[in-house]
Amino acid sequence: MPAIERCTLTRDTITLMDIAIIGGGFTGLAAAYYLAKKGHTVTVFEKEAYLGGLAHGFKEKSWDWHIEAAYHHLFTNDRHILALIHELGLQDKLIIKRPITATLWKGAMYQLDSPKHLFLFPGLSLIDKIRTACLLAFFKFFPLWKTLEHVTAERFLTSVGGKNTWKILWEPLLYGKFGTYAPLVAASWFWARIVKRTPSLCYIAGGFHTLVIALEKAIVSHNGAVVTSTAVQSVTKAANDTLLVTYNDTKQPFDRVLITVPTLLAANIAPIIPASYLRALNTVPHVSAQTLIIETDRPILKNVYWLNVTDRSFPFLAAVAHANFMDPKHYGGRHLTYFGNYLPPNHPYLSMTKGQLLKEFMPFIKRLHVPVNSKLSIVNSYMFVGPYAQPVHEIRYSEKIPSIQTPVPHLYLANMDFVVPWDRGTNYAVELGQKAAKIIHENRYS
């Protein structure tokens, strides 16, 4: 592939730059959009044929809308991505609903998404319920999250919320998500999970694909370029204080480079990044996200959108009935249900085919179907894996995160490891992309 041709820009007192962004997830796209609006010439490189990262969408011919490879929704306080949606003129595409979140306990589903339902839950004593309510209220109104980085979630939840609540509600979810890493997770991570939750959730008509396409068009309209199916082989130093990006055997100089892919991949692409800068980041463990999506003629879960599976005999952590959130008419009248896991490296599920995973899950899926074990007609199924999807927020996690500007002049790094104290998600990917772009723009004279 020849070097990408650029339009010549007249450079005035505002120094304009030629910027490469590696990775076409929401961090890379948000950064590209912000920088392109400032007048910089931006090229986004994405190795996959699609944009959006784990939020990328796919669709069948009979569907009107795309659906994400991994379950996605927005909270009503996700201000960064909601502001972006409004800025791009997509506010009429926002759909706000209050779906049901439930917990599977002793073979039954119990709605657990409000104080009322907490006090109706039969698994906890009145004292346990009061302590749990106080714990959740504390998280909601306590702003000093850094003080919670010095204690594990397990210790804090057990001491404040009680051992019984820990055993019934929190331990299965924390260990289900992080496995052997669970004892290392800081209470600040759990605080972020609680403080960000809102009863109502948002979705985008057409799926997150609608936002991805709008971002791509906006970048291109501002003289940017978005190149898919193109893996960057290397980033090296070049003459005149520029950086040389090699892709498809083409070498192209850029004034600035922002890498948004996982840290391990970034280190391979840009070996010029000093080991000292990466040392703390390299100690962060990660788990992979895996989703199995089943398309059926009837719903699997009755009324429930999100089901937390606390029964650890089940092979998955969550069942998410997308059709109990968005109308099945957008998907050819079919019901789409996710079965999700976070898995450590080398977990056997990660080496299974879609068929093997479906066979492993089906006896448990039938137990969730109403009426139980009745015939379930599967129209289609899909499987996706996102490596390095979830960093493990250990004690003092924020201290491990370096600056976005690396020690290499004009080279920047920003990926999901940099999101703190919040959990991974599209809102924080957008926020991170905007933050990285602002740093690059403000350092344009250096």
Side-chain angles (χ1 to χ4, degrees):
M1 177 184 289
I4 297 168
E5 294 184 4
R6 318 299 306 189
C7 296
T8 302
L9 294 175
T10 301
R11 299 188 177 232
D12 53 20
T13 55
I14 300 177
T15 299
L16 299 181
M17 301 176 292
D18 204 359
I19 302 168
I21 295 179
I22 301 172
F26 270 95
T27 298
L29 292 175
Y33 172 62
Y34 180 95
L35 289 165
K37 280 202 310 175
K38 292 292 185 181
H40 303 293
T41 304
V42 181
T43 303
V44 178
F45 293 96
E46 170 53 55
K47 70 172 183 177
E48 304 293 349
Y50 51 81
L51 300 168
L54 280 177
H56 83 270
F58 69 98
K59 70 183 290 290
E60 296 289 353
K61 290 182 179 179
S62 61
W63 303 354
D64 299 323
W65 288 7
H66 285 70
I67 191 171
E68 292 69 51
Y71 36 80
H72 275 76
H73 57 244
L74 301 174
F75 295 118
T76 55
N77 58 11
D78 281 341
R79 61 187 181 90
H80 297 283
I81 193 168
L82 290 175
L84 178 62
I85 287 169
H86 279 76
E87 184 174 336
L88 292 171
L90 300 176
Q91 60 271 18
D92 61 329
K93 299 291 186 181
L94 276 176
I95 301 169
I96 302 175
K97 291 186 177 182
R98 183 170 179 167
I100 294 173
T101 296
T103 294
L104 183 69
W105 180 71
K106 291 191 174 181
M109 299 181 201
Y110 295 92
Q111 187 171 348
L112 267 179
D113 53 10
S114 71
K116 170 188 172 182
H117 292 104
L118 171 62
F119 279 92
L120 290 175
F121 179 56
L124 300 177
S125 69
L126 179 59
I127 294 299
D128 287 333
K129 292 172 183 177
I130 293 172
R131 292 183 70 175
T132 301
C134 291
L135 171 69
L136 297 177
F138 169 80
F139 279 135
K140 278 289 188 182
F141 296 103
F142 183 73
L144 305 177
W145 63 268
K146 278 202 172 184
T147 63
L148 298 174
E149 270 201 317
H150 301 271
V151 60
T152 66
E154 181 170 350
R155 181 180 175 185
F156 191 88
L157 294 172
T158 303
S159 60
V160 178
K163 291 182 179 180
N164 191 46
T165 305
W166 163 256
K167 285 293 182 182
I168 292 174
L169 293 183
W170 311 130
E171 182 183 39
L173 296 179
L174 199 68
Y175 276 75
K177 181 163 188 171
F178 292 109
T180 56
Y181 299 127
L184 308 175
V185 176
S188 52
W189 177 86
F190 195 90
W191 168 89
R193 295 286 290 180
I194 299 300
V195 79
K196 275 297 297 180
R197 298 193 71 81
T198 56
S200 294
L201 304 176
C202 307
Y203 196 69
I204 306 168
F208 279 65
H209 179 77
T210 300
L211 179 55
V212 170
I213 294 302
L215 270 173
E216 181 183 15
K217 288 181 178 178
I219 293 165
V220 172
S221 72
H222 284 90
N223 194 46
V226 179
V227 187
T228 56
S229 301
T230 302
V232 170
Q233 281 98 42
S234 66
V235 177
T236 55
K237 292 181 180 179
N240 302 321
D241 213 20
T242 60
L243 294 166
L244 202 61
V245 174
T246 301
Y247 59 95
N248 293 346
D249 300 321
T250 297
K251 296 181 184 293
Q252 186 169 350
F254 288 90
D255 300 315
R256 303 288 188 273
V257 174
L258 169 63
I259 302 177
T260 66
V261 302
T263 301
L264 181 62
L265 301 180
N268 291 335
I269 292 171
I272 56 176
I273 301 176
S276 56
Y277 172 85
L278 295 171
R279 188 171 296 118
L281 282 176
N282 286 334
T283 67
V284 175
H286 292 80
V287 289
S288 297
Q290 183 185 58
T291 56
L292 177 69
I293 307 173
I294 298 180
E295 183 182 0
T296 55
D297 58 343
R298 289 180 293 168
I300 294 175
L301 302 181
K302 184 179 180 181
N303 300 325
V304 173
Y305 163 59
W306 187 289
L307 181 67
N308 289 314
V309 180
T310 59
D311 184 342
R312 296 316 305 144
S313 68
F314 274 64
F316 45 82
L317 180 64
V320 182
H322 186 73
N324 289 341
F325 186 28
M326 292 295 113
D327 197 316
K329 70 180 182 181
H330 302 300
Y331 310 97
R334 305 297 187 185
H335 293 260
L336 293 158
T337 306
Y338 294 89
F339 297 90
N341 268 324
Y342 286 92
L343 303 170
N346 303 318
H347 191 284
Y349 289 171
L350 294 175
S351 61
M352 285 186 178
T353 65
K354 179 184 68 175
Q356 291 171 330
L357 197 66
L358 183 60
K359 183 178 179 180
E360 179 84 10
F361 284 11
M362 274 311 297
F364 300 90
I365 292 172
K366 288 179 179 178
R367 288 166 60 180
L368 302 178
H369 187 223
V370 179
V372 176
N373 290 323
S374 61
K375 184 174 176 59
L376 190 64
S377 176
I378 297 177
V379 179
N380 213 333
S381 60
Y382 316 86
M383 184 180 74
F384 299 95
V385 175
Y388 315 108
Q390 175 69 63
V392 181
H393 285 221
E394 300 174 295
I395 296 292
R396 299 179 179 87
Y397 179 84
S398 66
E399 297 174 11
K400 296 183 177 183
I401 309 306
S403 64
I404 289 173
Q405 183 169 3
T406 75
V408 179
H410 308 155
L411 180 60
Y412 301 81
L413 177 64
N415 56 38
M416 283 295 99
D417 292 351
F418 287 71
V419 174
V420 61
W422 313 109
D423 197 23
R424 54 174 300 279
T426 49
N427 179 62
Y428 305 111
V430 168
E431 180 186 17
L432 180 64
Q434 292 170 339
K435 180 180 178 181
K438 184 178 179 181
I439 291 171
I440 293 171
H441 177 68
E442 290 179 348
N443 290 349
R444 62 192 180 277
Y445 300 113
S446 62

